[in-house]
Amino acid sequence: MTSVERIDEYGDLTPEEDNGGGSGRLVETSADWPSRGEIRFHNYSLHYQSNEEATLKSLNLVINPAEKVGIIGRAGKSSVFQGLLRLVNRSCIDGEILIDDVDIGRVTLKHLRSQISVIPQNPVLFSGTLRFNLDPLEIYTDEQCWKVLEIVRLKEMVFNHPQALHMPIAESGHNLSSGQCQLVCVSRALLRQSRILLIDEATANVDHETDEFLQTLIVDKIKDRTVLTIAHRLNTVRNNDRLLLLNDGKVVDFDVPDKVLNHL
């Protein structure tokens, strides 16, 4: 009955705001938006409830195209991702976030979220085939799937399986190791070729070898994408271009890793 209660609750959820904040405010973007992946926060503040203190407070910063930025600090890291994905009602937001000079509050949620890839801390896999987990909407070719599997060093394992791309994946990926599960999620993100990639400490629950490989992959193999990484361990972002240090929802420092880490 708990499952029935949850389904009933989800059926009554209030739809997310998706009208650009007012009638007629939605804008059309170019077919290749975002083509650069520049992100600008302009006087941006975020509350989770309108009567609560802001979690992010007057952020003003520019993340350059293809830049690798690690986000560190005691509070506000996840809120940056919540803001970029518009997971908070517009009434709880002040200021704006621009991606390639377009206010993300003025594009539809479907369009915005389809242009941003996310690698979560805990890998998300579904019962079905590997092919389905990589490309559930069947947008990409088998050749493209093989290419990303080769990049993340899973090609040999999949090739040697009798069913190859159609090898079965158990619920939550229980028939794979934790490292393999995360690499499948990385493959899925790479396949989408989004200009912006959000990573929530993707190496937190994997072995040391996979950890090092993913860090190298992010810095060296994804050079054309803007990558934001929430870091719970400083060693995972030492090779990033810049570190964003947040404290109490404010920007304390935003500079090259050596300078930021010297302030800790």
Side-chain angles (χ1 to χ4, degrees), residues 125 128-131 133-134 145-146 148-170 173-185 187 210:
L125 298 179
T129 66
L130 174 63
R131 182 71 168 79
N133 273 278
L134 290 175
C145 291
W146 281 115
V148 295
L149 289 172
E150 183 175 14
I151 292 174
V152 302
R153 299 180 184 176
L154 286 179
K155 182 177 180 179
E156 183 177 357
M157 180 201 76
V158 177
F159 186 79
N160 290 332
H161 192 280
Q163 294 173 272
L165 286 175
H166 297 283
M167 64 180 287
I169 301 297
H174 287 154
N175 58 331
L176 301 176
S177 70
S178 59
Q180 289 171 333
C181 288
Q182 195 58 278
L183 290 174
V184 171
C185 290
S187 300
T210 305

Side-chain angles (χ1 to χ4, degrees), residues 20-82:
S23 179
R25 292 193 67 240
L26 289 175
V27 298
E28 291 285 339
T29 62
S30 61
D32 63 346
W33 179 86
S35 59
R36 297 178 291 120
E38 180 191 71
I39 304 171
R40 289 178 177 264
F41 290 80
H42 179 64
N43 291 331
Y44 185 81
S45 298
L46 179 150
H47 310 250
Y48 285 104
Q49 298 290 337
S50 57
N51 60 345
E52 290 183 356
E53 182 182 0
T55 304
L56 296 177
K57 302 173 183 177
S58 300
L59 266 59
N60 284 287
L61 55 95
V62 178
I63 298 170
N64 299 315
E67 191 171 23
K68 310 298 181 283
V69 174
I71 306 174
I72 62 176
R74 295 186 177 182
K77 300 187 294 293
S78 297
S79 298
V80 173
F81 284 11
Q82 299 243 10

Side-chain angles (χ1 to χ4, degrees), residues 58-245:
S58 300
L59 266 59
N60 284 287
L61 55 95
V62 178
I63 298 170
N64 299 315
E67 191 171 23
K68 310 298 181 283
V69 174
I71 306 174
I72 62 176
R74 295 186 177 182
K77 300 187 294 293
S78 297
S79 298
V80 173
F81 284 11
Q82 299 243 10
L84 281 166
L85 294 169
R86 282 178 52 200
L87 296 176
V88 179
N89 193 283
R90 178 63 196 175
S91 63
C92 298
I93 299 296
D94 294 311
E96 59 189 6
I97 299 175
L98 305 176
I99 294 180
D100 284 4
D101 300 320
V102 174
D103 180 356
I104 65 171
R106 301 186 65 185
V107 298
T108 64
L109 287 172
K110 180 179 179 181
H111 187 40
L112 170 66
R113 294 172 184 170
S114 69
Q115 303 306 313
I116 299 175
S117 292
V118 180
I119 301 176
Q121 185 177 65
N122 297 309
V124 178
L125 298 179
F126 303 97
S127 299
T129 66
L130 174 63
R131 182 71 168 79
F132 170 76
N133 273 278
L134 290 175
D135 180 24
L137 300 179
E138 299 183 355
I139 297 174
Y140 305 100
T141 65
D142 285 358
E143 182 181 0
Q144 289 172 304
C145 291
W146 281 115
K147 184 175 181 179
V148 295
L149 289 172
E150 183 175 14
I151 292 174
V152 302
R153 299 180 184 176
L154 286 179
K155 182 177 180 179
E156 183 177 357
M157 180 201 76
V158 177
F159 186 79
N160 290 332
H161 192 280
Q163 294 173 272
L165 286 175
H166 297 283
M167 64 180 287
I169 301 297
E171 183 177 355
S172 300
H174 287 154
N175 58 331
L176 301 176
S177 70
S178 59
Q180 289 171 333
C181 288
Q182 195 58 278
L183 290 174
V184 171
C185 290
V186 172
S187 300
R188 184 165 56 208
L190 295 179
L191 191 61
R192 294 184 62 195
Q193 301 180 342
S194 306
R195 283 293 176 187
I196 297 175
L197 176 61
L198 308 181
I199 303 175
D200 185 1
E201 189 67 288
T203 63
N205 299 312
V206 299
D207 58 87
H208 180 69
E209 182 180 352
T210 305
D211 183 352
E212 288 193 341
F213 170 64
L214 283 175
Q215 291 181 44
T216 302
L217 177 70
I218 292 165
V219 175
D220 296 336
K221 302 295 184 180
I222 317 179
K223 295 183 178 180
D224 61 338
R225 308 191 193 192
T226 304
V227 181
L228 275 61
T229 303
I230 291 176
H232 304 288
R233 297 176 298 173
L234 295 178
N235 68 298
T236 62
V237 290
R238 285 184 179 274
N239 294 327
N240 280 216
D241 297 318
R242 287 192 289 174
L243 296 184
L244 171 62
L245 174 59

